[in-house]
Structure formats: structure tokens, C-alpha cells
Amino acid sequence: MMDNRKLIAVIGGSRSSAKENKLAEEVGRELAKRGAVLVCGGLGGIMESACRGAASEGGLTIGILPGESRREANDYVQIPIVTGIGYARNVVVAKSSQAVIAIGGSYGTLTEIGYALQNGIPVISLGTWSLSRNGKTDKSVIPAKDAADAVSIAFEHISE
Amino acid sequence: MMDNRKLIAVIGGSRSSAKENKLAEEVGRELAKRGAVLVCGGLGGIMESACRGAASEGGLTIGILPGESRREANDYVQIPIVTGIGYARNVVVAKSSQAVIAIGGSYGTLTEIGYALQNGIPVISLGTWSLSRNGKTDKSVIPAKDAADAVSIAFEHISE
Amino acid sequence: MMDNRKLIAVIGGSRSSAKENKLAEEVGRELAKRGAVLVCGGLGGIMESACRGAASEGGLTIGILPGESRREANDYVQIPIVTGIGYARNVVVAKSSQAVIAIGGSYGTLTEIGYALQNGIPVISLGTWSLSRNGKTDKSVIPAKDAADAVSIAFEHISE
Amino acid sequence: MMDNRKLIAVIGGSRSSAKENKLAEEVGRELAKRGAVLVCGGLGGIMESACRGAASEGGLTIGILPGESRREANDYVQIPIVTGIGYARNVVVAKSSQAVIAIGGSYGTLTEIGYALQNGIPVISLGTWSLSRNGKTDKSVIPAKDAADAVSIAFEHISE
């Protein structure tokens, strides 16, 4: 690959709180400042806030859309990928990314976390799901303190 | 639809314990006795045990395979669906089912649980993932005591 | 696999002529008589006619649906597979089948033919697309005279 | 969308002739000169040649990969999208593009043409498949004389 920009996903719900949106925007800004390409699901809420943040710093934003039209992308997606495969596109968001930062989120976000972990892709949490099985907490998801911390952890955990 | 058989999934890992396999086989048998069609991912471990149980009672078994060949199906899959879409097929396992019974499982199972819950499909747990967010446990996954209990709960929760 | 029923697809448009529908119904009946499981896209037109034919002879019918709900299946689908991946499901119709019989059809049918041929799955034509490249006709699609002939060719070309 | 770059696909086989590769490289260069983002399947042959051409003019290249790893991308893909959905990714290549230029190609290319036409996306041919049904040639695929002509036709046919 002639390009060594990192692709990092921000995942989370299309319905999100003002606080979560602010966090997503900060993460987007921070990713752009550090030269990463932002990958996301391309829709509203967390995805839109992260794209807005990245775009405000001149970053490149990729939206991997579930539906049939590029028009469903939020206003800050620069490269809309129109999959037409519905929420099976969550696996594409995860696999295309070298690290995933999860902010809040619902069951769709849970599937993206599952796919990332299944593929050995680091997942950094800003208030997303905690997982346990048979009474034991799964420690795979890495908690972060704030947006800058999440982005730092993401870069540290990207394997070449 | 001219057919009113229920389609119920059994999900769980391809690497599973002897105890989990026994449970899966019992669930498969119970589903077949009650006339359900068994849906699963078609591979080994939990999937194979559930299919073996269902087949032993004359039940119909559907294996929704990730790979490129029907040959990857376990020996008890009667209808292999060859998707070729990799683990994106997990969404197909979930959506094709009217209820999902999860036994143990790893991150792939987690994605299937996420997809089922996203689509309002009841998920019954025999020792699978527990989920929480912001310190609050998600109560959507319904715990069952044993195989017969899991199947009873599945039938009760199927909406027409 | 403990089951040696053949899975054979009937593909074609959801908008089809009365003549094409009659042909599809005959193909469905013939497949059921010979013990094959009918695979199709699960919707109307050719798919519905083929399912009706198969069901009238007691055959098993599988509908691999593009959308989000089993309710979109035609009335003669016994096993609805709900993919939710849109027309990417065409690859699943092709790959799940050991032979494909194409009746008329439009661009969706063309993608199914392409996927079948890419995977070495025999395609039998009852008035479907003809293909050529650089002035040379592609001979991979096998023409049939009528419904019974199409089904005979399909069985002859299934590789074990 | 804040970005008004056009996304245009170049499709064709991973095994291609020297003449086809030269044509693909010219198309890639021409697209980059006119400010389009190149979309392709990310692998070798036509895809690699088109990416090399686009990159040589400073264009942005997106490779929508079928497999599980970004490492399968050719050396000139700048943004690898790792789908993991196999050749079902062909629908993503088609739908993500506002026009498709097809050079030679085999059955996979045929599926991409089918998906593009199904979605009303213009397809421009440099020696690709010709289609006919019931003795009538389908005129949907637009023939081009050479690389520059293909790119001009693509831009003319993009609908806003």
C-alpha cells in the first residue's frame, strides 16, 4: 500500500445524547489532527458528529452505508460507500478499520464490537457495552477516559 | 405462507465444551419433537450437536454457511445454504429465525445476539453473554434453566 | 451430509409473462416429482410460480429473501431465509444451488447467472440472457427446449 | 454531502491482457485528472492498472476487497475497504459508483454490470460483455472508443 494513513472507526448509535455527540466530535477532530481516515456507518448521531469533527480539521471521512442510496449519508461524509446490504454492513465497518472507538451505542454497535473482537481489531470504549460470560467480565474492550485518550489508545494498539 | 412450522436458531461456538454440546443436542431434539425447523450456522460444535439432536428426532435442519462450499456443513445439516459472505452470514442466521437459543459462544455468537435483539427477535440464554451498559444490565436476553425450558420460552415468545 | 436431496434454483424476474409463469410452474412441479428441493429468491413472478408448482407436488421450497421480513415471501415458500442483504442475496441463491434454471429475467437474473457461472454451477436457459464478448458467444449457458428438458439437463449436470 | 467529487468505478478481471491493462491505466489517469475518485474491487489486473494510473496523477483510489485482509489490496489502493463478504462485494462496487467503466472482464464483471444496470447506474464498455435476450440486443451498456472517450461518457451520464 502506498498510503500509510490509518483507518479508524468511530461507532455508536444514530440516536445519541448531546454529551455523546460532543465526545464523538472531539474524537473525530483528534483523529483528523493525527492524520487518520475516519471510518463510520455514514448515518446520523455519533456517526455524523464524528464526521463533523474530522471534517472541521480537514480529515477524510468514509461512510459505509447500509441502504441503497448515497443520499442517506450525513453531510460530512466525503466518501459514501453504498453497500445495500443493510446492517450486515456492520461487519464491513469493523473489518475496514485498524481500531474501533465505540461511544455509547445500542445493539447495532454491539454487533460491530463483536465483529471487531472476532477479527482481533482493538476496541476502545467511551461508555459503550460491557460484556461478561459465566460471571467473568470480558476485558477485551479497552476503556478510555476521554476523546484524546481514546485516540491515543487506538494508535497505540494498531498492529502493522 | 402455507407452512406454519417455526424456524428457531441454535447459536454458539464451533469450539464448545462436552457439557455445552450435550445441552445443544437436547435443545435440537426438543425443537424437532415440537415441530420446529432448526436454523444454525451449519458448522461444528454447538451447531453440529444441535443438528444431530434435531435429526435424531426426524427434524429438518438448515445450515447457513459462511463459506464457499456445501461441503463445510456438518453431517446433520439437511439444507445447506451456501452464502459465501463470511461472518456477515450471522445476520442471516438471526433474521431467518423467530427465536434464538444461545449456548455459550464467543464473539460471533455475540454478533448474532446483537442482530437478533436489534430485530426484536427473542434471545434465550443457556450460559451465553451478559450485557450491560453504563453499569446497567441489559435484561433483553432471557435466561433458561435447561434445554426443555429454553425451547418452551422460545415458543412462548414467538410473535405471529 | 445425511441428506441427498438436490438443491436446484429457479431464477427469473418478479415481473414475468403468463407464458413464463406457466413454464416456471411446470419446472417447479417437475423438480418436486424428481425429489429436488426448490431454491429461489422467494418473491413473486417466476419465483412464486415455481414454488406453486413444486408445492403442488409436495416438494420443499426455500425462498432466499432480500428484505427484512419473512412476510415478503410468496405464499408457496415453506422455508423463508430472511437475509436482509438486499440483492446481494442473489449470490446466495446461486451458491446454494447445484444447478440453476433461468426463465426470462432481467438484470437481477443476470447477476445470478454470472455468480453461478463464476462458481462452476450449471445454468440452464429457458429464454434467458445470451452473452457474448468481443463478438464471440459464450456457450456456458445451456439452452433447454421445455420445462422437462430443463430439469433433465439440470440433474445430468450436477456434480457430486 | 460537502464533497462533490464523483465516484467512478473501473471494473474488469484480475486476469487481463497487456492491452486491457494499458487501457485501464489510461482510464485511471484520465479519471484522476478530472478529479474523480476511483472505485474498484481492489485486487490485481484491471483493478491494479486503473489504480496505478489514478495514483500517478495524484487521484484517490478506493479498493472494495472481497476477502478478510487489507493486505490483499494492490499497491495503489489508498483506501482499502475490507468487506469479508466475498464476491457479494461486487454489488458494493456497483452501488457506490455514479458510473461504471468495464474493461474486458469475466463472470464477476458480468455481475457488476448487472447490478449497475439494475440500479440505473450508467455502464460504459471498453470491450466487455454484450447482452441479448430473445434475440434482441440490450442497448443499456454504452460502447466507448478509447479511454478518454469512456471517461467523457461517464461524466456526461452521471445524474445529480
Side-chain angles (χ1 to χ4, degrees):
Chain A
M1 210 106 38
M2 55 181 303
D3 197 284
N4 59 8
R5 283 180 288 187
K6 303 307 180 196
L7 271 69
I8 297 179
V10 177
I11 64 173
S14 53
R15 280 167 295 180
S16 45
S17 69
K19 195 181 152 192
E20 288 171 334
N21 288 342
K22 190 166 168 293
L23 209 48
E25 194 167 340
E26 284 171 28
V27 169
R29 267 203 305 270
E30 198 65 29
L31 287 171
K33 280 188 201 165
R34 296 184 61 163
V37 174
L38 173 66
V39 174
C40 73
L43 302 178
I46 292 299
M47 299 168 262
E48 181 165 358
S49 298
C51 286
R52 188 170 46 231
S56 74
E57 294 288 341
L60 184 63
T61 59
I62 315 273
I64 300 178
L65 299 164
E68 300 286 335
S69 168
R70 62 199 337 254
R71 286 192 203 90
E72 77 179 355
N74 71 58
D75 285 350
Y76 308 95
V77 168
Q78 289 159 31
I79 307 289
I81 303 295
V82 183
T83 69
I85 62 171
Y87 290 88
R89 75 81 150 86
N90 293 2
V91 71
V92 183
V93 172
K95 285 193 172 166
S96 296
S97 303
Q98 295 165 281
V100 169
I101 298 171
I103 302 173
S106 186
Y107 298 126
T109 303
L110 183 64
T111 66
E112 291 169 323
I113 292 171
Y115 279 127
L117 296 177
Q118 188 184 40
N119 286 278
I121 297 163
V123 177
I124 296 98
S125 167
L126 288 165
T128 193
W129 293 98
S130 297
L131 311 171
S132 62
R133 243 185 63 193
N134 301 324
K136 272 191 284 190
T137 302
D138 184 291
K139 306 282 195 191
S140 303
V141 175
I142 308 164
K145 292 194 307 279
D146 56 30
D149 188 41
V151 173
S152 290
I153 296 171
F155 271 93
E156 280 160 25
H157 281 76
I158 290 174
S159 56
E160 272 328 291
Chain B
M1 211 104 41
M2 55 179 304
D3 197 284
N4 59 8
R5 283 181 287 188
K6 304 306 180 197
L7 271 69
I8 297 179
V10 177
I11 64 173
S14 52
R15 280 167 295 181
S16 46
S17 69
K19 194 180 153 192
E20 288 171 335
N21 288 343
K22 190 166 168 295
L23 209 48
E25 193 167 340
E26 285 171 28
V27 169
R29 267 202 306 270
E30 199 65 30
L31 286 171
K33 280 187 202 166
R34 296 185 60 163
V37 174
L38 173 66
V39 174
C40 73
L43 303 178
I46 292 299
M47 298 167 263
E48 181 165 359
S49 298
C51 286
R52 187 169 48 230
S56 74
E57 294 288 342
L60 184 63
T61 59
I62 315 274
I64 299 178
L65 299 164
E68 300 286 335
S69 167
R70 62 200 336 255
R71 286 192 203 90
E72 78 179 353
N74 70 58
D75 285 350
Y76 308 96
V77 168
Q78 290 160 30
I79 307 289
I81 303 295
V82 183
T83 70
I85 62 170
Y87 290 88
R89 74 80 151 87
N90 292 2
V91 71
V92 183
V93 172
K95 285 192 171 165
S96 296
S97 304
Q98 295 165 281
V100 169
I101 298 172
I103 302 172
S106 185
Y107 298 126
T109 303
L110 183 64
T111 66
E112 291 170 322
I113 292 171
Y115 279 127
L117 295 177
Q118 189 184 40
N119 287 278
I121 296 163
V123 177
I124 296 98
S125 167
L126 288 165
T128 194
W129 293 98
S130 296
L131 312 171
S132 62
R133 242 186 62 193
N134 300 325
K136 272 191 284 189
T137 303
D138 184 291
K139 306 282 196 190
S140 303
V141 175
I142 308 164
K145 292 194 307 279
D146 55 31
D149 188 40
V151 173
S152 289
I153 296 171
F155 271 93
E156 280 160 25
H157 281 77
I158 290 175
S159 56
E160 272 327 292
Chain C
M1 212 104 40
M2 53 179 307
D3 197 285
N4 59 7
R5 283 179 287 186
K6 303 307 180 195
L7 270 70
I8 298 179
V10 177
I11 64 174
S14 52
R15 281 167 293 180
S16 46
S17 69
K19 195 180 152 191
E20 288 171 334
N21 289 343
K22 191 166 168 294
L23 209 48
E25 194 167 340
E26 285 171 28
V27 169
R29 266 203 305 270
E30 199 65 30
L31 287 170
K33 279 188 203 168
R34 296 184 61 163
V37 174
L38 173 66
V39 174
C40 71
L43 303 178
I46 291 299
M47 298 167 263
E48 182 165 358
S49 298
C51 286
R52 188 170 45 231
S56 75
E57 294 288 342
L60 184 63
T61 59
I62 315 273
I64 299 177
L65 298 164
E68 299 286 335
S69 168
R70 62 200 335 256
R71 288 192 201 90
E72 77 180 354
N74 70 58
D75 286 349
Y76 307 96
V77 167
Q78 289 160 31
I79 307 290
I81 303 295
V82 183
T83 70
I85 61 171
Y87 290 89
R89 75 81 152 84
N90 293 2
V91 71
V92 183
V93 172
K95 284 192 172 166
S96 297
S97 303
Q98 295 166 281
V100 169
I101 299 172
I103 303 173
S106 187
Y107 297 126
T109 304
L110 183 64
T111 66
E112 290 170 323
I113 292 171
Y115 278 127
L117 296 177
Q118 188 184 40
N119 286 279
I121 296 163
V123 178
I124 296 98
S125 169
L126 288 164
T128 194
W129 294 98
S130 296
L131 313 171
S132 62
R133 243 186 62 195
N134 301 322
K136 273 190 284 189
T137 302
D138 184 291
K139 306 283 196 190
S140 303
V141 176
I142 309 164
K145 291 194 307 280
D146 55 30
D149 188 41
V151 173
S152 290
I153 295 171
F155 271 92
E156 280 160 25
H157 282 77
I158 291 176
S159 56
E160 274 327 292
Chain D
M1 210 104 40
M2 56 180 304
D3 197 286
N4 59 7
R5 283 179 287 186
K6 303 307 181 196
L7 271 69
I8 297 179
V10 177
I11 64 173
S14 52
R15 280 166 296 180
S16 45
S17 68
K19 195 180 151 191
E20 289 171 334
N21 288 343
K22 190 166 169 293
L23 208 48
E25 194 167 340
E26 285 171 28
V27 169
R29 268 203 305 270
E30 199 64 29
L31 286 171
K33 279 187 203 167
R34 296 186 60 163
V37 175
L38 173 66
V39 175
C40 72
L43 303 178
I46 292 298
M47 298 167 264
E48 182 165 358
S49 299
C51 286
R52 187 169 47 230
S56 74
E57 294 289 342
L60 184 63
T61 59
I62 316 273
I64 299 177
L65 298 164
E68 299 287 336
S69 168
R70 63 200 334 258
R71 288 192 201 89
E72 77 179 354
N74 70 58
D75 286 348
Y76 308 95
V77 167
Q78 290 160 30
I79 307 290
I81 303 295
V82 183
T83 70
I85 61 170
Y87 289 90
R89 74 82 152 85
N90 292 2
V91 71
V92 183
V93 172
K95 285 192 172 166
S96 296
S97 304
Q98 295 166 280
V100 169
I101 298 172
I103 302 173
S106 187
Y107 297 126
T109 304
L110 183 64
T111 66
E112 291 170 323
I113 292 171
Y115 279 127
L117 296 177
Q118 188 184 40
N119 287 278
I121 296 163
V123 178
I124 297 97
S125 168
L126 288 164
T128 193
W129 293 97
S130 297
L131 312 171
S132 62
R133 242 187 62 194
N134 301 321
K136 273 191 283 190
T137 302
D138 183 293
K139 306 283 195 190
S140 304
V141 175
I142 308 164
K145 293 194 306 278
D146 55 30
D149 188 41
V151 173
S152 290
I153 295 171
F155 271 93
E156 280 160 26
H157 281 77
I158 291 175
S159 56
E160 271 329 290

